[in-house]
Amino acid sequence: MVAAFKNTTAEESSSEEDSPGSMMESDSEIDDQRYHHVDMEMDRTPCVVHTIQLVVHMLQKETTVKRVLDKARFVVKLFRKSSVATQRLLDQCGVIVVNDCPTRWSSTFNMVTRLLTVKDAVCQITNDMGWDSLLTSEWQKLSYFHDLLLPFAEHTKTLQSDTTSMSLVVPALFDLLSHLTEFAEKTRYRDLATLAEKMRSNLNQRFACLLDSTDEKLSALAAAACFVNPTACEILVNVDVADGNINELLKQAEDYVVKCTLGWKRVTVFITV
């Protein structure tokens, strides 16, 4: 019996060696069965920071907004071309004005922030140089631009980091939605209120796959990641979003976690067996 068993084993071994592809086919079958048990599909998630910038770029399409920004760019250009004005600004403030760039994240926010920082010096120097500058009302509107874009710049800085966790994505998006709602209600400029409303709608549309519990392409992975980060959960519980669906989204995220857990338990049992 022992000899027969050894001969049979040897024959099977020889047969496998004669068929190099047999082991690959076997592994493939195991993989198919393994992922069949999990019963999940890989979801494609857009680059969050890049998509946020697409929302920010909507301000370039609003005529009244773009007019003020273009005038701010004109003032920046005057300073960048004049070594005298640049040196005077540097002597008075210790910094110079900065250009914005369409392909550089938060660059418009940085340009506006720097202009507001050196506002008094810019007004004085442009007056001495005989240059056109921003009107008082335009400076005021720039300050509202700054308030509108500040949370976008802050979340961009956080989310673009190599050490960022996916658990921060959904709280950041809901925070931006809440900010846009509040800004549209409180701003004194009707065109900026309209812009904020459009940005909010666009943000909801672009991130429906992460935020809308009724979206057919919803991926609950980002929301589920919040469960491993107490800070993220606290943000979601406290954030106030008009007509939001945070509770339903978290419920689907919880179901997603349970589904993944049960699926990988089955995989573990399958591999062990």
PDB file of all heavy atoms in Angstrom, residues 213-238:
ATOM      1  N   SER A 213     -25.886  59.248  -1.441  1.00  0.00           N
ATOM      2  CA  SER A 213     -26.249  57.865  -1.107  1.00  0.00           C
ATOM      3  C   SER A 213     -27.195  57.250  -2.132  1.00  0.00           C
ATOM      4  O   SER A 213     -27.380  56.036  -2.152  1.00  0.00           O
ATOM      5  CB  SER A 213     -26.908  57.816   0.277  1.00  0.00           C
ATOM      6  OG  SER A 213     -28.072  58.632   0.306  1.00  0.00           O
ATOM      7  N   THR A 214     -27.798  58.088  -2.992  1.00  0.00           N
ATOM      8  CA  THR A 214     -28.715  57.564  -4.008  1.00  0.00           C
ATOM      9  C   THR A 214     -28.048  57.410  -5.371  1.00  0.00           C
ATOM     10  O   THR A 214     -28.686  56.928  -6.305  1.00  0.00           O
ATOM     11  CB  THR A 214     -29.927  58.504  -4.162  1.00  0.00           C
ATOM     12  OG1 THR A 214     -29.476  59.789  -4.630  1.00  0.00           O
ATOM     13  CG2 THR A 214     -30.640  58.677  -2.833  1.00  0.00           C
ATOM     14  N   ASP A 215     -26.796  57.816  -5.488  1.00  0.00           N
ATOM     15  CA  ASP A 215     -26.107  57.734  -6.772  1.00  0.00           C
ATOM     16  C   ASP A 215     -25.808  56.279  -7.125  1.00  0.00           C
ATOM     17  O   ASP A 215     -25.350  55.500  -6.280  1.00  0.00           O
ATOM     18  CB  ASP A 215     -24.795  58.525  -6.722  1.00  0.00           C
ATOM     19  CG  ASP A 215     -24.149  58.670  -8.094  1.00  0.00           C
ATOM     20  OD1 ASP A 215     -24.598  59.536  -8.870  1.00  0.00           O
ATOM     21  OD2 ASP A 215     -23.213  57.901  -8.390  1.00  0.00           O
ATOM     22  N   GLU A 216     -26.066  55.920  -8.373  1.00  0.00           N
ATOM     23  CA  GLU A 216     -25.885  54.523  -8.788  1.00  0.00           C
ATOM     24  C   GLU A 216     -24.423  54.098  -8.793  1.00  0.00           C
ATOM     25  O   GLU A 216     -24.111  52.910  -8.713  1.00  0.00           O
ATOM     26  CB  GLU A 216     -26.483  54.308 -10.177  1.00  0.00           C
ATOM     27  CG  GLU A 216     -25.866  55.170 -11.273  1.00  0.00           C
ATOM     28  CD  GLU A 216     -26.476  54.923 -12.638  1.00  0.00           C
ATOM     29  OE1 GLU A 216     -27.484  54.201 -12.709  1.00  0.00           O
ATOM     30  OE2 GLU A 216     -25.938  55.455 -13.628  1.00  0.00           O
ATOM     31  N   LYS A 217     -23.516  55.072  -8.860  1.00  0.00           N
ATOM     32  CA  LYS A 217     -22.087  54.764  -8.855  1.00  0.00           C
ATOM     33  C   LYS A 217     -21.440  55.037  -7.495  1.00  0.00           C
ATOM     34  O   LYS A 217     -20.225  55.162  -7.401  1.00  0.00           O
ATOM     35  CB  LYS A 217     -21.369  55.582  -9.937  1.00  0.00           C
ATOM     36  CG  LYS A 217     -21.800  55.237 -11.357  1.00  0.00           C
ATOM     37  CD  LYS A 217     -21.012  56.047 -12.382  1.00  0.00           C
ATOM     38  CE  LYS A 217     -21.421  55.690 -13.800  1.00  0.00           C
ATOM     39  NZ  LYS A 217     -20.649  56.494 -14.806  1.00  0.00           N
ATOM     40  N   LEU A 218     -22.271  55.124  -6.464  1.00  0.00           N
ATOM     41  CA  LEU A 218     -21.744  55.436  -5.138  1.00  0.00           C
ATOM     42  C   LEU A 218     -20.689  54.422  -4.699  1.00  0.00           C
ATOM     43  O   LEU A 218     -20.887  53.219  -4.782  1.00  0.00           O
ATOM     44  CB  LEU A 218     -22.874  55.449  -4.109  1.00  0.00           C
ATOM     45  CG  LEU A 218     -22.436  55.625  -2.652  1.00  0.00           C
ATOM     46  CD1 LEU A 218     -21.918  57.035  -2.420  1.00  0.00           C
ATOM     47  CD2 LEU A 218     -23.577  55.317  -1.694  1.00  0.00           C
ATOM     48  N   SER A 219     -19.552  54.948  -4.231  1.00  0.00           N
ATOM     49  CA  SER A 219     -18.517  54.129  -3.610  1.00  0.00           C
ATOM     50  C   SER A 219     -18.445  54.537  -2.146  1.00  0.00           C
ATOM     51  O   SER A 219     -18.054  55.658  -1.824  1.00  0.00           O
ATOM     52  CB  SER A 219     -17.158  54.349  -4.289  1.00  0.00           C
ATOM     53  OG  SER A 219     -16.131  53.703  -3.560  1.00  0.00           O
ATOM     54  N   ALA A 220     -18.829  53.615  -1.273  1.00  0.00           N
ATOM     55  CA  ALA A 220     -18.877  53.922   0.154  1.00  0.00           C
ATOM     56  C   ALA A 220     -17.518  53.792   0.827  1.00  0.00           C
ATOM     57  O   ALA A 220     -17.415  53.963   2.037  1.00  0.00           O
ATOM     58  CB  ALA A 220     -19.884  53.008   0.847  1.00  0.00           C
ATOM     59  N   LEU A 221     -16.488  53.506   0.049  1.00  0.00           N
ATOM     60  CA  LEU A 221     -15.160  53.285   0.625  1.00  0.00           C
ATOM     61  C   LEU A 221     -14.666  54.507   1.395  1.00  0.00           C
ATOM     62  O   LEU A 221     -14.169  54.383   2.518  1.00  0.00           O
ATOM     63  CB  LEU A 221     -14.158  52.926  -0.477  1.00  0.00           C
ATOM     64  CG  LEU A 221     -12.702  52.746  -0.039  1.00  0.00           C
ATOM     65  CD1 LEU A 221     -12.591  51.633   0.995  1.00  0.00           C
ATOM     66  CD2 LEU A 221     -11.811  52.446  -1.247  1.00  0.00           C
ATOM     67  N   ALA A 222     -14.788  55.707   0.797  1.00  0.00           N
ATOM     68  CA  ALA A 222     -14.281  56.918   1.450  1.00  0.00           C
ATOM     69  C   ALA A 222     -15.033  57.200   2.747  1.00  0.00           C
ATOM     70  O   ALA A 222     -14.439  57.589   3.753  1.00  0.00           O
ATOM     71  CB  ALA A 222     -14.386  58.110   0.499  1.00  0.00           C
ATOM     72  N   ALA A 223     -16.356  57.008   2.735  1.00  0.00           N
ATOM     73  CA  ALA A 223     -17.142  57.219   3.948  1.00  0.00           C
ATOM     74  C   ALA A 223     -16.823  56.151   4.988  1.00  0.00           C
ATOM     75  O   ALA A 223     -16.752  56.434   6.188  1.00  0.00           O
ATOM     76  CB  ALA A 223     -18.629  57.213   3.619  1.00  0.00           C
ATOM     77  N   ALA A 224     -16.613  54.927   4.523  1.00  0.00           N
ATOM     78  CA  ALA A 224     -16.287  53.837   5.439  1.00  0.00           C
ATOM     79  C   ALA A 224     -14.955  54.079   6.136  1.00  0.00           C
ATOM     80  O   ALA A 224     -14.761  53.685   7.288  1.00  0.00           O
ATOM     81  CB  ALA A 224     -16.246  52.507   4.675  1.00  0.00           C
ATOM     82  N   ALA A 225     -14.041  54.749   5.443  1.00  0.00           N
ATOM     83  CA  ALA A 225     -12.728  55.032   6.029  1.00  0.00           C
ATOM     84  C   ALA A 225     -12.843  55.925   7.256  1.00  0.00           C
ATOM     85  O   ALA A 225     -11.962  55.922   8.122  1.00  0.00           O
ATOM     86  CB  ALA A 225     -11.821  55.691   4.986  1.00  0.00           C
ATOM     87  N   CYS A 226     -13.941  56.689   7.341  1.00  0.00           N
ATOM     88  CA  CYS A 226     -14.134  57.586   8.495  1.00  0.00           C
ATOM     89  C   CYS A 226     -14.276  56.805   9.794  1.00  0.00           C
ATOM     90  O   CYS A 226     -13.987  57.331  10.871  1.00  0.00           O
ATOM     91  CB  CYS A 226     -15.369  58.455   8.282  1.00  0.00           C
ATOM     92  SG  CYS A 226     -15.249  59.580   6.880  1.00  0.00           S
ATOM     93  N   PHE A 227     -14.721  55.554   9.701  1.00  0.00           N
ATOM     94  CA  PHE A 227     -14.938  54.769  10.909  1.00  0.00           C
ATOM     95  C   PHE A 227     -13.646  54.441  11.643  1.00  0.00           C
ATOM     96  O   PHE A 227     -13.665  54.099  12.822  1.00  0.00           O
ATOM     97  CB  PHE A 227     -15.689  53.473  10.575  1.00  0.00           C
ATOM     98  CG  PHE A 227     -17.124  53.699  10.179  1.00  0.00           C
ATOM     99  CD1 PHE A 227     -17.640  53.111   9.034  1.00  0.00           C
ATOM    100  CD2 PHE A 227     -17.951  54.509  10.939  1.00  0.00           C
ATOM    101  CE1 PHE A 227     -18.958  53.316   8.666  1.00  0.00           C
ATOM    102  CE2 PHE A 227     -19.265  54.736  10.568  1.00  0.00           C
ATOM    103  CZ  PHE A 227     -19.777  54.140   9.435  1.00  0.00           C
ATOM    104  N   VAL A 228     -12.518  54.514  10.943  1.00  0.00           N
ATOM    105  CA  VAL A 228     -11.240  54.199  11.595  1.00  0.00           C
ATOM    106  C   VAL A 228     -10.554  55.468  12.095  1.00  0.00           C
ATOM    107  O   VAL A 228      -9.445  55.406  12.605  1.00  0.00           O
ATOM    108  CB  VAL A 228     -10.296  53.441  10.632  1.00  0.00           C
ATOM    109  CG1 VAL A 228     -10.921  52.135  10.193  1.00  0.00           C
ATOM    110  CG2 VAL A 228      -9.951  54.296   9.416  1.00  0.00           C
ATOM    111  N   ASN A 229     -11.234  56.605  11.916  1.00  0.00           N
ATOM    112  CA  ASN A 229     -10.672  57.886  12.355  1.00  0.00           C
ATOM    113  C   ASN A 229     -11.707  58.619  13.204  1.00  0.00           C
ATOM    114  O   ASN A 229     -12.645  59.209  12.671  1.00  0.00           O
ATOM    115  CB  ASN A 229     -10.277  58.729  11.138  1.00  0.00           C
ATOM    116  CG  ASN A 229      -9.533  60.004  11.526  1.00  0.00           C
ATOM    117  OD1 ASN A 229      -9.631  60.487  12.648  1.00  0.00           O
ATOM    118  ND2 ASN A 229      -8.788  60.560  10.592  1.00  0.00           N
ATOM    119  N   PRO A 230     -11.570  58.602  14.531  1.00  0.00           N
ATOM    120  CA  PRO A 230     -12.548  59.250  15.409  1.00  0.00           C
ATOM    121  C   PRO A 230     -12.750  60.732  15.093  1.00  0.00           C
ATOM    122  O   PRO A 230     -13.859  61.249  15.195  1.00  0.00           O
ATOM    123  CB  PRO A 230     -11.932  59.072  16.805  1.00  0.00           C
ATOM    124  CG  PRO A 230     -11.049  57.880  16.684  1.00  0.00           C
ATOM    125  CD  PRO A 230     -10.493  57.935  15.288  1.00  0.00           C
ATOM    126  N   THR A 231     -11.667  61.414  14.698  1.00  0.00           N
ATOM    127  CA  THR A 231     -11.771  62.837  14.365  1.00  0.00           C
ATOM    128  C   THR A 231     -12.684  63.049  13.169  1.00  0.00           C
ATOM    129  O   THR A 231     -13.506  63.969  13.146  1.00  0.00           O
ATOM    130  CB  THR A 231     -10.383  63.424  14.059  1.00  0.00           C
ATOM    131  OG1 THR A 231      -9.536  63.241  15.191  1.00  0.00           O
ATOM    132  CG2 THR A 231     -10.485  64.907  13.738  1.00  0.00           C
ATOM    133  N   ALA A 232     -12.544  62.197  12.150  1.00  0.00           N
ATOM    134  CA  ALA A 232     -13.374  62.301  10.950  1.00  0.00           C
ATOM    135  C   ALA A 232     -14.838  62.064  11.287  1.00  0.00           C
ATOM    136  O   ALA A 232     -15.729  62.771  10.799  1.00  0.00           O
ATOM    137  CB  ALA A 232     -12.897  61.303   9.905  1.00  0.00           C
ATOM    138  N   CYS A 233     -15.116  61.079  12.140  1.00  0.00           N
ATOM    139  CA  CYS A 233     -16.497  60.801  12.543  1.00  0.00           C
ATOM    140  C   CYS A 233     -17.101  61.990  13.287  1.00  0.00           C
ATOM    141  O   CYS A 233     -18.253  62.363  13.074  1.00  0.00           O
ATOM    142  CB  CYS A 233     -16.537  59.554  13.424  1.00  0.00           C
ATOM    143  SG  CYS A 233     -16.310  58.012  12.519  1.00  0.00           S
ATOM    144  N   GLU A 234     -16.303  62.604  14.143  1.00  0.00           N
ATOM    145  CA  GLU A 234     -16.777  63.753  14.908  1.00  0.00           C
ATOM    146  C   GLU A 234     -17.119  64.919  13.992  1.00  0.00           C
ATOM    147  O   GLU A 234     -18.116  65.614  14.184  1.00  0.00           O
ATOM    148  CB  GLU A 234     -15.712  64.176  15.920  1.00  0.00           C
ATOM    149  CG  GLU A 234     -16.146  65.330  16.817  1.00  0.00           C
ATOM    150  CD  GLU A 234     -15.077  65.712  17.822  1.00  0.00           C
ATOM    151  OE1 GLU A 234     -14.036  65.022  17.884  1.00  0.00           O
ATOM    152  OE2 GLU A 234     -15.282  66.699  18.547  1.00  0.00           O
ATOM    153  N   ILE A 235     -16.294  65.118  12.960  1.00  0.00           N
ATOM    154  CA  ILE A 235     -16.545  66.200  11.998  1.00  0.00           C
ATOM    155  C   ILE A 235     -17.860  65.957  11.270  1.00  0.00           C
ATOM    156  O   ILE A 235     -18.682  66.863  11.093  1.00  0.00           O
ATOM    157  CB  ILE A 235     -15.390  66.307  10.988  1.00  0.00           C
ATOM    158  CG1 ILE A 235     -14.103  66.755  11.699  1.00  0.00           C
ATOM    159  CG2 ILE A 235     -15.740  67.289   9.879  1.00  0.00           C
ATOM    160  CD1 ILE A 235     -12.884  66.750  10.807  1.00  0.00           C
ATOM    161  N   LEU A 236     -18.089  64.723  10.844  1.00  0.00           N
ATOM    162  CA  LEU A 236     -19.309  64.399  10.106  1.00  0.00           C
ATOM    163  C   LEU A 236     -20.549  64.571  10.974  1.00  0.00           C
ATOM    164  O   LEU A 236     -21.593  65.018  10.498  1.00  0.00           O
ATOM    165  CB  LEU A 236     -19.239  62.956   9.590  1.00  0.00           C
ATOM    166  CG  LEU A 236     -18.338  62.706   8.385  1.00  0.00           C
ATOM    167  CD1 LEU A 236     -18.402  61.248   7.976  1.00  0.00           C
ATOM    168  CD2 LEU A 236     -18.736  63.591   7.208  1.00  0.00           C
ATOM    169  N   VAL A 237     -20.437  64.231  12.234  1.00  0.00           N
ATOM    170  CA  VAL A 237     -21.583  64.350  13.134  1.00  0.00           C
ATOM    171  C   VAL A 237     -21.931  65.817  13.384  1.00  0.00           C
ATOM    172  O   VAL A 237     -23.104  66.190  13.467  1.00  0.00           O
ATOM    173  CB  VAL A 237     -21.293  63.638  14.473  1.00  0.00           C
ATOM    174  CG1 VAL A 237     -22.378  63.964  15.492  1.00  0.00           C
ATOM    175  CG2 VAL A 237     -21.194  62.133  14.260  1.00  0.00           C
ATOM    176  N   ASN A 238     -20.914  66.671  13.464  1.00  0.00           N
ATOM    177  CA  ASN A 238     -21.127  68.068  13.832  1.00  0.00           C
ATOM    178  C   ASN A 238     -21.358  68.999  12.651  1.00  0.00           C
ATOM    179  O   ASN A 238     -21.892  70.091  12.821  1.00  0.00           O
ATOM    180  CB  ASN A 238     -19.929  68.586  14.642  1.00  0.00           C
ATOM    181  CG  ASN A 238     -19.818  67.888  15.986  1.00  0.00           C
ATOM    182  OD1 ASN A 238     -20.816  67.516  16.577  1.00  0.00           O
ATOM    183  ND2 ASN A 238     -18.593  67.712  16.463  1.00  0.00           N
TER     184      ASN A 238
END
